[in-house]
């Protein structure tokens, strides 16, 4: 039986920390779906299609394993996607106790709803301070985001806007 897992998130935008977790998770499962999901609690910077496109390019650029599928989901519950594709595991990156507190209720609800288990993974500590919200803020104020995001994202967000 092949093990299918999903790495869900806003990915607004994808960071080097996300890519690190995706790379580690791709080594553990037969098939890994990286799923861009709308978070009702957040105001998005980029549309879902744009985030999917940047993620696809970043995964390709970083030469992550070939068992990774990048896609978006805006049709309802995350666990409905898992059921549709036969995934039994969600993978979340944990940077700190704050992430544990944020992720734990979602993990329990997702298990209650559909029996989908959540696996927490520790990213490289080098990325522990990196978040998409920090990247959005630095980029919006003209700072250099290249240490925090894949090159394709830095290029996209730091591209001068046309008049
Ligand atoms: O990167 P984020 O914003 O922390 O990811 C959170 C996300 C998008 C995975 C979460 O908000 C989510 O699962 N949204 C889908 C709606 C859903 O299924 N909610 C019920 C389970 S918590």
């Amino acid at each position: 039986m092949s093990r299918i897992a999903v790495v869900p998130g806003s990915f607004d935008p994808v960071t080097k920390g996300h890519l690190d977790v995706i790379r580690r998770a791709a080594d553990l499962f037969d098939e890994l779906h990286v799923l861009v999901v709308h978070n009702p609690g957040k105001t998005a910077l980029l549309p879902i299609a744009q985030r999917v496109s940047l993620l696809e390019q970043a995964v390709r650029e970083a030469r992550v394993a070939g068992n990774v599928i990048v896609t978006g989901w805006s049709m309802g519950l995350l666990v409905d996607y898992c059921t549709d594709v036969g995934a039994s595991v969600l993978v979340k990156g944990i940077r700190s106790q704050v992430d544990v507190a944020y992720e734990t209720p979602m993990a329990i609800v997702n298990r209650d709803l559909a029996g989908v288990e959540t696996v927490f993974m520790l990213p490289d500590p080098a990325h522990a301070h990196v978040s998409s919200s920090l990247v959005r803020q630095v980029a919006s104020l003209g700072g250099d985001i290249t240490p925090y995001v894949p090159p394709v994202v830095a290029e996209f967000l730091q591209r001068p806007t046309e008049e």
Side-chain angles (χ1 to χ4, degrees), residues 48-91:
I48 286 189
Q50 186 67 65
R51 290 182 247 163
V52 169
S53 166
L54 288 171
L55 245 169
E56 274 170 345
Q57 293 173 72
V59 163
R60 209 176 318 130
E61 201 174 63
R63 297 180 187 280
V64 177
N67 59 343
V68 174
I69 294 163
V70 179
T71 189
W73 177 252
S74 51
M75 307 280 285
L77 288 171
L78 172 59
V79 292
D80 290 342
Y81 178 87
C82 294
T83 306
D84 279 5
V85 300
S88 53
V89 177
L90 291 166
V91 177

mmCIF file of all heavy atoms in Angstrom, residues 48-91:
data_model
loop_
_atom_site.group_PDB
_atom_site.id
_atom_site.type_symbol
_atom_site.label_atom_id
_atom_site.label_comp_id
_atom_site.label_asym_id
_atom_site.label_seq_id
_atom_site.Cartn_x
_atom_site.Cartn_y
_atom_site.Cartn_z
ATOM 1 N N ILE A 48 -4.475 32.212 -4.737
ATOM 2 C CA ILE A 48 -4.041 30.812 -4.592
ATOM 3 C C ILE A 48 -3.283 30.339 -5.844
ATOM 4 O O ILE A 48 -2.226 29.695 -5.731
ATOM 5 C CB ILE A 48 -5.242 29.895 -4.292
ATOM 6 C CG1 ILE A 48 -5.689 30.123 -2.838
ATOM 7 C CG2 ILE A 48 -4.889 28.425 -4.505
ATOM 8 C CD1 ILE A 48 -6.729 29.156 -2.313
ATOM 9 N N ALA A 49 -3.764 30.684 -7.037
ATOM 10 C CA ALA A 49 -3.116 30.216 -8.276
ATOM 11 C C ALA A 49 -1.669 30.712 -8.358
ATOM 12 O O ALA A 49 -0.778 29.989 -8.806
ATOM 13 C CB ALA A 49 -3.911 30.672 -9.492
ATOM 14 N N GLN A 50 -1.443 31.929 -7.908
ATOM 15 C CA GLN A 50 -0.085 32.496 -7.922
ATOM 16 C C GLN A 50 0.827 31.765 -6.939
ATOM 17 O O GLN A 50 1.993 31.482 -7.217
ATOM 18 C CB GLN A 50 -0.148 33.988 -7.567
ATOM 19 C CG GLN A 50 1.184 34.704 -7.686
ATOM 20 C CD GLN A 50 1.670 34.780 -9.115
ATOM 21 O OE1 GLN A 50 1.039 35.419 -9.937
ATOM 22 N NE2 GLN A 50 2.755 34.108 -9.428
ATOM 23 N N ARG A 51 0.253 31.454 -5.764
ATOM 24 C CA ARG A 51 1.043 30.737 -4.746
ATOM 25 C C ARG A 51 1.406 29.338 -5.236
ATOM 26 O O ARG A 51 2.515 28.857 -4.999
ATOM 27 C CB ARG A 51 0.238 30.638 -3.434
ATOM 28 C CG ARG A 51 0.081 31.979 -2.738
ATOM 29 C CD ARG A 51 -0.678 31.788 -1.446
ATOM 30 N NE ARG A 51 -1.975 32.427 -1.477
ATOM 31 C CZ ARG A 51 -2.977 32.170 -0.638
ATOM 32 N NH1 ARG A 51 -2.814 31.275 0.301
ATOM 33 N NH2 ARG A 51 -4.118 32.811 -0.716
ATOM 34 N N VAL A 52 0.453 28.688 -5.921
ATOM 35 C CA VAL A 52 0.719 27.350 -6.470
ATOM 36 C C VAL A 52 1.837 27.439 -7.504
ATOM 37 O O VAL A 52 2.789 26.647 -7.497
ATOM 38 C CB VAL A 52 -0.559 26.751 -7.113
ATOM 39 C CG1 VAL A 52 -0.233 25.497 -7.905
ATOM 40 C CG2 VAL A 52 -1.601 26.445 -6.042
ATOM 41 N N SER A 53 1.758 28.441 -8.367
ATOM 42 C CA SER A 53 2.774 28.589 -9.423
ATOM 43 C C SER A 53 4.167 28.813 -8.829
ATOM 44 O O SER A 53 5.143 28.176 -9.252
ATOM 45 C CB SER A 53 2.357 29.756 -10.333
ATOM 46 O OG SER A 53 3.420 30.132 -11.145
ATOM 47 N N LEU A 54 4.264 29.677 -7.806
ATOM 48 C CA LEU A 54 5.567 29.935 -7.173
ATOM 49 C C LEU A 54 6.089 28.670 -6.479
ATOM 50 O O LEU A 54 7.284 28.360 -6.552
ATOM 51 C CB LEU A 54 5.458 31.085 -6.170
ATOM 52 C CG LEU A 54 5.280 32.480 -6.784
ATOM 53 C CD1 LEU A 54 4.960 33.508 -5.706
ATOM 54 C CD2 LEU A 54 6.526 32.910 -7.558
ATOM 55 N N LEU A 55 5.176 27.933 -5.831
ATOM 56 C CA LEU A 55 5.578 26.686 -5.154
ATOM 57 C C LEU A 55 6.098 25.660 -6.159
ATOM 58 O O LEU A 55 7.129 25.013 -5.927
ATOM 59 C CB LEU A 55 4.371 26.101 -4.434
ATOM 60 C CG LEU A 55 4.431 26.046 -2.926
ATOM 61 C CD1 LEU A 55 3.086 25.688 -2.348
ATOM 62 C CD2 LEU A 55 5.471 25.061 -2.434
ATOM 63 N N GLU A 56 5.373 25.512 -7.267
ATOM 64 C CA GLU A 56 5.797 24.565 -8.309
ATOM 65 C C GLU A 56 7.199 24.901 -8.789
ATOM 66 O O GLU A 56 8.061 24.024 -8.902
ATOM 67 C CB GLU A 56 4.840 24.625 -9.507
ATOM 68 C CG GLU A 56 3.632 23.750 -9.359
ATOM 69 C CD GLU A 56 2.591 24.020 -10.451
ATOM 70 O OE1 GLU A 56 2.677 25.058 -11.145
ATOM 71 O OE2 GLU A 56 1.700 23.195 -10.590
ATOM 72 N N GLN A 57 7.416 26.184 -9.057
ATOM 73 C CA GLN A 57 8.733 26.606 -9.559
ATOM 74 C C GLN A 57 9.810 26.399 -8.497
ATOM 75 O O GLN A 57 10.924 25.965 -8.794
ATOM 76 C CB GLN A 57 8.692 28.072 -9.973
ATOM 77 C CG GLN A 57 7.805 28.336 -11.183
ATOM 78 C CD GLN A 57 7.667 29.838 -11.439
ATOM 79 O OE1 GLN A 57 8.615 30.473 -11.874
ATOM 80 N NE2 GLN A 57 6.506 30.393 -11.161
ATOM 81 N N ALA A 58 9.470 26.711 -7.232
ATOM 82 C CA ALA A 58 10.452 26.585 -6.143
ATOM 83 C C ALA A 58 10.837 25.120 -5.929
ATOM 84 O O ALA A 58 12.009 24.800 -5.731
ATOM 85 C CB ALA A 58 9.876 27.175 -4.858
ATOM 86 N N VAL A 59 9.838 24.215 -5.994
ATOM 87 C CA VAL A 59 10.098 22.784 -5.808
ATOM 88 C C VAL A 59 11.007 22.273 -6.936
ATOM 89 O O VAL A 59 11.953 21.518 -6.718
ATOM 90 C CB VAL A 59 8.758 22.001 -5.749
ATOM 91 C CG1 VAL A 59 8.957 20.519 -5.981
ATOM 92 C CG2 VAL A 59 8.073 22.240 -4.404
ATOM 93 N N ARG A 60 10.710 22.740 -8.161
ATOM 94 C CA ARG A 60 11.521 22.332 -9.319
ATOM 95 C C ARG A 60 12.946 22.864 -9.186
ATOM 96 O O ARG A 60 13.923 22.141 -9.343
ATOM 97 C CB ARG A 60 10.871 22.854 -10.602
ATOM 98 C CG ARG A 60 11.149 21.990 -11.814
ATOM 99 C CD ARG A 60 10.427 22.478 -13.055
ATOM 100 N NE ARG A 60 9.058 22.891 -12.821
ATOM 101 C CZ ARG A 60 8.544 24.054 -13.230
ATOM 102 N NH1 ARG A 60 9.275 24.927 -13.878
ATOM 103 N NH2 ARG A 60 7.284 24.355 -12.998
ATOM 104 N N GLU A 61 13.033 24.167 -8.865
ATOM 105 C CA GLU A 61 14.322 24.857 -8.729
ATOM 106 C C GLU A 61 15.198 24.168 -7.662
ATOM 107 O O GLU A 61 16.406 24.046 -7.818
ATOM 108 C CB GLU A 61 14.001 26.288 -8.284
ATOM 109 C CG GLU A 61 15.019 27.350 -8.505
ATOM 110 C CD GLU A 61 14.411 28.705 -8.119
ATOM 111 O OE1 GLU A 61 14.063 28.922 -6.943
ATOM 112 O OE2 GLU A 61 14.280 29.564 -9.006
ATOM 113 N N ALA A 62 14.555 23.722 -6.563
ATOM 114 C CA ALA A 62 15.309 23.116 -5.443
ATOM 115 C C ALA A 62 15.567 21.631 -5.686
ATOM 116 O O ALA A 62 16.153 20.966 -4.832
ATOM 117 C CB ALA A 62 14.542 23.305 -4.137
ATOM 118 N N ARG A 63 15.097 21.115 -6.841
ATOM 119 C CA ARG A 63 15.286 19.698 -7.201
ATOM 120 C C ARG A 63 14.807 18.758 -6.081
ATOM 121 O O ARG A 63 15.501 17.809 -5.706
ATOM 122 C CB ARG A 63 16.744 19.409 -7.541
ATOM 123 C CG ARG A 63 17.237 20.178 -8.746
ATOM 124 C CD ARG A 63 18.686 19.861 -9.045
ATOM 125 N NE ARG A 63 19.195 20.725 -10.088
ATOM 126 C CZ ARG A 63 18.991 20.549 -11.383
ATOM 127 N NH1 ARG A 63 18.275 19.538 -11.804
ATOM 128 N NH2 ARG A 63 19.500 21.392 -12.261
ATOM 129 N N VAL A 64 13.631 19.077 -5.545
ATOM 130 C CA VAL A 64 13.020 18.199 -4.546
ATOM 131 C C VAL A 64 12.560 16.935 -5.282
ATOM 132 O O VAL A 64 12.313 16.967 -6.489
ATOM 133 C CB VAL A 64 11.831 18.922 -3.851
ATOM 134 C CG1 VAL A 64 11.130 18.005 -2.862
ATOM 135 C CG2 VAL A 64 12.323 20.176 -3.143
ATOM 136 N N ALA A 65 12.446 15.816 -4.550
ATOM 137 C CA ALA A 65 12.135 14.519 -5.152
ATOM 138 C C ALA A 65 10.923 14.558 -6.090
ATOM 139 O O ALA A 65 10.022 15.391 -5.925
ATOM 140 C CB ALA A 65 11.895 13.512 -4.031
ATOM 141 N N GLY A 66 10.884 13.627 -7.028
ATOM 142 C CA GLY A 66 9.847 13.611 -8.058
ATOM 143 C C GLY A 66 8.486 13.111 -7.598
ATOM 144 O O GLY A 66 7.554 13.046 -8.388
ATOM 145 N N ASN A 67 8.346 12.757 -6.309
ATOM 146 C CA ASN A 67 7.057 12.257 -5.813
ATOM 147 C C ASN A 67 6.189 13.381 -5.233
ATOM 148 O O ASN A 67 5.249 13.125 -4.488
ATOM 149 C CB ASN A 67 7.268 11.167 -4.749
ATOM 150 C CG ASN A 67 8.079 11.677 -3.559
ATOM 151 O OD1 ASN A 67 8.742 12.708 -3.654
ATOM 152 N ND2 ASN A 67 8.032 10.971 -2.450
ATOM 153 N N VAL A 68 6.535 14.642 -5.550
ATOM 154 C CA VAL A 68 5.819 15.793 -4.986
ATOM 155 C C VAL A 68 4.837 16.363 -6.008
ATOM 156 O O VAL A 68 5.204 16.624 -7.160
ATOM 157 C CB VAL A 68 6.820 16.889 -4.544
ATOM 158 C CG1 VAL A 68 6.086 18.142 -4.088
ATOM 159 C CG2 VAL A 68 7.726 16.370 -3.435
ATOM 160 N N ILE A 69 3.592 16.541 -5.554
ATOM 161 C CA ILE A 69 2.547 17.134 -6.399
ATOM 162 C C ILE A 69 2.119 18.438 -5.737
ATOM 163 O O ILE A 69 1.783 18.447 -4.551
ATOM 164 C CB ILE A 69 1.333 16.181 -6.485
ATOM 165 C CG1 ILE A 69 1.721 14.902 -7.226
ATOM 166 C CG2 ILE A 69 0.133 16.858 -7.138
ATOM 167 C CD1 ILE A 69 0.741 13.757 -7.017
ATOM 168 N N VAL A 70 2.141 19.529 -6.475
ATOM 169 C CA VAL A 70 1.740 20.828 -5.922
ATOM 170 C C VAL A 70 0.381 21.204 -6.501
ATOM 171 O O VAL A 70 0.188 21.164 -7.721
ATOM 172 C CB VAL A 70 2.765 21.932 -6.278
ATOM 173 C CG1 VAL A 70 2.322 23.277 -5.717
ATOM 174 C CG2 VAL A 70 4.159 21.564 -5.770
ATOM 175 N N THR A 71 -0.541 21.575 -5.622
ATOM 176 C CA THR A 71 -1.857 21.984 -6.127
ATOM 177 C C THR A 71 -2.560 22.891 -5.112
ATOM 178 O O THR A 71 -2.038 23.132 -4.025
ATOM 179 C CB THR A 71 -2.707 20.733 -6.487
ATOM 180 O OG1 THR A 71 -3.880 21.150 -7.171
ATOM 181 C CG2 THR A 71 -3.108 19.951 -5.264
ATOM 182 N N GLY A 72 -3.729 23.412 -5.489
ATOM 183 C CA GLY A 72 -4.489 24.295 -4.599
ATOM 184 C C GLY A 72 -5.831 23.658 -4.246
ATOM 185 O O GLY A 72 -6.293 22.754 -4.935
ATOM 186 N N TRP A 73 -6.444 24.144 -3.157
ATOM 187 C CA TRP A 73 -7.720 23.578 -2.702
ATOM 188 C C TRP A 73 -8.562 24.685 -2.094
ATOM 189 O O TRP A 73 -8.164 25.318 -1.134
ATOM 190 C CB TRP A 73 -7.454 22.480 -1.665
ATOM 191 C CG TRP A 73 -8.670 21.845 -1.051
ATOM 192 C CD1 TRP A 73 -9.125 22.014 0.230
ATOM 193 C CD2 TRP A 73 -9.569 20.923 -1.666
ATOM 194 N NE1 TRP A 73 -10.243 21.249 0.432
ATOM 195 C CE2 TRP A 73 -10.544 20.566 -0.717
ATOM 196 C CE3 TRP A 73 -9.645 20.364 -2.956
ATOM 197 C CZ2 TRP A 73 -11.576 19.681 -0.998
ATOM 198 C CZ3 TRP A 73 -10.679 19.485 -3.222
ATOM 199 C CH2 TRP A 73 -11.625 19.148 -2.258
ATOM 200 N N SER A 74 -9.727 24.918 -2.672
ATOM 201 C CA SER A 74 -10.600 25.940 -2.091
ATOM 202 C C SER A 74 -12.037 25.433 -2.064
ATOM 203 O O SER A 74 -12.986 26.208 -2.089
ATOM 204 C CB SER A 74 -10.503 27.244 -2.896
ATOM 205 O OG SER A 74 -10.697 26.973 -4.258
ATOM 206 N N MET A 75 -12.196 24.089 -2.041
ATOM 207 C CA MET A 75 -13.526 23.482 -2.162
ATOM 208 C C MET A 75 -14.123 23.084 -0.816
ATOM 209 O O MET A 75 -15.128 22.392 -0.774
ATOM 210 C CB MET A 75 -13.443 22.226 -3.048
ATOM 211 C CG MET A 75 -12.795 22.445 -4.384
ATOM 212 S SD MET A 75 -13.911 23.185 -5.544
ATOM 213 C CE MET A 75 -14.935 21.786 -5.913
ATOM 214 N N GLY A 76 -13.477 23.454 0.296
ATOM 215 C CA GLY A 76 -14.042 23.060 1.585
ATOM 216 C C GLY A 76 -12.986 22.595 2.545
ATOM 217 O O GLY A 76 -11.881 23.151 2.586
ATOM 218 N N LEU A 77 -13.320 21.552 3.304
ATOM 219 C CA LEU A 77 -12.417 21.078 4.348
ATOM 220 C C LEU A 77 -11.148 20.454 3.766
ATOM 221 O O LEU A 77 -11.190 19.760 2.746
ATOM 222 C CB LEU A 77 -13.119 20.024 5.206
ATOM 223 C CG LEU A 77 -14.219 20.518 6.150
ATOM 224 C CD1 LEU A 77 -14.964 19.329 6.751
ATOM 225 C CD2 LEU A 77 -13.625 21.385 7.246
ATOM 226 N N LEU A 78 -10.058 20.660 4.465
ATOM 227 C CA LEU A 78 -8.783 20.045 4.096
ATOM 228 C C LEU A 78 -8.896 18.522 4.063
ATOM 229 O O LEU A 78 -8.363 17.865 3.165
ATOM 230 C CB LEU A 78 -7.738 20.498 5.130
ATOM 231 C CG LEU A 78 -6.373 19.874 5.100
ATOM 232 C CD1 LEU A 78 -5.715 20.096 3.760
ATOM 233 C CD2 LEU A 78 -5.522 20.467 6.225
ATOM 234 N N VAL A 79 -9.622 17.955 5.046
ATOM 235 C CA VAL A 79 -9.730 16.484 5.090
ATOM 236 C C VAL A 79 -10.527 15.924 3.906
ATOM 237 O O VAL A 79 -10.366 14.759 3.551
ATOM 238 C CB VAL A 79 -10.328 15.980 6.434
ATOM 239 C CG1 VAL A 79 -9.373 16.229 7.577
ATOM 240 C CG2 VAL A 79 -11.695 16.580 6.698
ATOM 241 N N ASP A 80 -11.377 16.764 3.283
ATOM 242 C CA ASP A 80 -12.094 16.300 2.089
ATOM 243 C C ASP A 80 -11.102 16.061 0.954
ATOM 244 O O ASP A 80 -11.225 15.106 0.183
ATOM 245 C CB ASP A 80 -13.158 17.320 1.647
ATOM 246 C CG ASP A 80 -14.328 17.380 2.621
ATOM 247 O OD1 ASP A 80 -14.482 16.431 3.417
ATOM 248 O OD2 ASP A 80 -15.069 18.384 2.591
ATOM 249 N N TYR A 81 -10.109 16.953 0.864
ATOM 250 C CA TYR A 81 -9.059 16.751 -0.146
ATOM 251 C C TYR A 81 -8.317 15.443 0.156
ATOM 252 O O TYR A 81 -8.057 14.640 -0.741
ATOM 253 C CB TYR A 81 -8.082 17.932 -0.170
ATOM 254 C CG TYR A 81 -6.947 17.728 -1.166
ATOM 255 C CD1 TYR A 81 -7.093 18.092 -2.499
ATOM 256 C CD2 TYR A 81 -5.750 17.122 -0.774
ATOM 257 C CE1 TYR A 81 -6.077 17.869 -3.418
ATOM 258 C CE2 TYR A 81 -4.735 16.884 -1.686
ATOM 259 C CZ TYR A 81 -4.904 17.269 -3.002
ATOM 260 O OH TYR A 81 -3.899 17.044 -3.916
ATOM 261 N N CYS A 82 -7.972 15.245 1.440
ATOM 262 C CA CYS A 82 -7.238 14.027 1.830
ATOM 263 C C CYS A 82 -8.020 12.782 1.425
ATOM 264 O O CYS A 82 -7.459 11.831 0.871
ATOM 265 C CB CYS A 82 -6.980 14.018 3.334
ATOM 266 S SG CYS A 82 -5.869 15.327 3.883
ATOM 267 N N THR A 83 -9.324 12.791 1.707
ATOM 268 C CA THR A 83 -10.162 11.643 1.350
ATOM 269 C C THR A 83 -10.167 11.440 -0.166
ATOM 270 O O THR A 83 -10.029 10.324 -0.658
ATOM 271 C CB THR A 83 -11.609 11.854 1.862
ATOM 272 O OG1 THR A 83 -11.541 12.131 3.264
ATOM 273 C CG2 THR A 83 -12.477 10.643 1.625
ATOM 274 N N ASP A 84 -10.300 12.547 -0.905
ATOM 275 C CA ASP A 84 -10.343 12.467 -2.381
ATOM 276 C C ASP A 84 -9.110 11.792 -2.960
ATOM 277 O O ASP A 84 -9.199 11.023 -3.914
ATOM 278 C CB ASP A 84 -10.448 13.876 -2.992
ATOM 279 C CG ASP A 84 -11.868 14.407 -2.969
ATOM 280 O OD1 ASP A 84 -12.743 13.728 -2.400
ATOM 281 O OD2 ASP A 84 -12.095 15.513 -3.512
ATOM 282 N N VAL A 85 -7.920 12.110 -2.388
ATOM 283 C CA VAL A 85 -6.679 11.590 -2.987
ATOM 284 C C VAL A 85 -6.136 10.359 -2.241
ATOM 285 O O VAL A 85 -5.095 9.830 -2.598
ATOM 286 C CB VAL A 85 -5.579 12.680 -3.078
ATOM 287 C CG1 VAL A 85 -6.039 13.856 -3.923
ATOM 288 C CG2 VAL A 85 -5.120 13.145 -1.697
ATOM 289 N N GLY A 86 -6.852 9.933 -1.177
ATOM 290 C CA GLY A 86 -6.416 8.747 -0.426
ATOM 291 C C GLY A 86 -5.263 9.017 0.517
ATOM 292 O O GLY A 86 -4.475 8.098 0.814
ATOM 293 N N ALA A 87 -5.154 10.253 0.997
ATOM 294 C CA ALA A 87 -4.066 10.583 1.936
ATOM 295 C C ALA A 87 -4.518 10.339 3.370
ATOM 296 O O ALA A 87 -5.630 10.710 3.747
ATOM 297 C CB ALA A 87 -3.653 12.046 1.766
ATOM 298 N N SER A 88 -3.652 9.715 4.168
ATOM 299 C CA SER A 88 -4.008 9.400 5.560
ATOM 300 C C SER A 88 -3.212 10.235 6.567
ATOM 301 O O SER A 88 -3.435 10.133 7.767
ATOM 302 C CB SER A 88 -3.747 7.914 5.830
ATOM 303 O OG SER A 88 -2.416 7.596 5.457
ATOM 304 N N VAL A 89 -2.292 11.059 6.057
ATOM 305 C CA VAL A 89 -1.395 11.813 6.942
ATOM 306 C C VAL A 89 -1.270 13.259 6.469
ATOM 307 O O VAL A 89 -1.146 13.528 5.270
ATOM 308 C CB VAL A 89 0.021 11.164 6.955
ATOM 309 C CG1 VAL A 89 0.986 11.971 7.801
ATOM 310 C CG2 VAL A 89 -0.030 9.728 7.454
ATOM 311 N N LEU A 90 -1.298 14.172 7.453
ATOM 312 C CA LEU A 90 -0.959 15.578 7.198
ATOM 313 C C LEU A 90 0.413 15.826 7.811
ATOM 314 O O LEU A 90 0.708 15.311 8.891
ATOM 315 C CB LEU A 90 -1.973 16.511 7.869
ATOM 316 C CG LEU A 90 -3.380 16.524 7.277
ATOM 317 C CD1 LEU A 90 -4.348 17.213 8.243
ATOM 318 C CD2 LEU A 90 -3.383 17.237 5.931
ATOM 319 N N VAL A 91 1.239 16.618 7.157
ATOM 320 C CA VAL A 91 2.560 16.955 7.689
ATOM 321 C C VAL A 91 2.614 18.462 7.928
ATOM 322 O O VAL A 91 2.271 19.252 7.044
ATOM 323 C CB VAL A 91 3.684 16.561 6.702
ATOM 324 C CG1 VAL A 91 5.045 16.992 7.241
ATOM 325 C CG2 VAL A 91 3.661 15.062 6.435
#
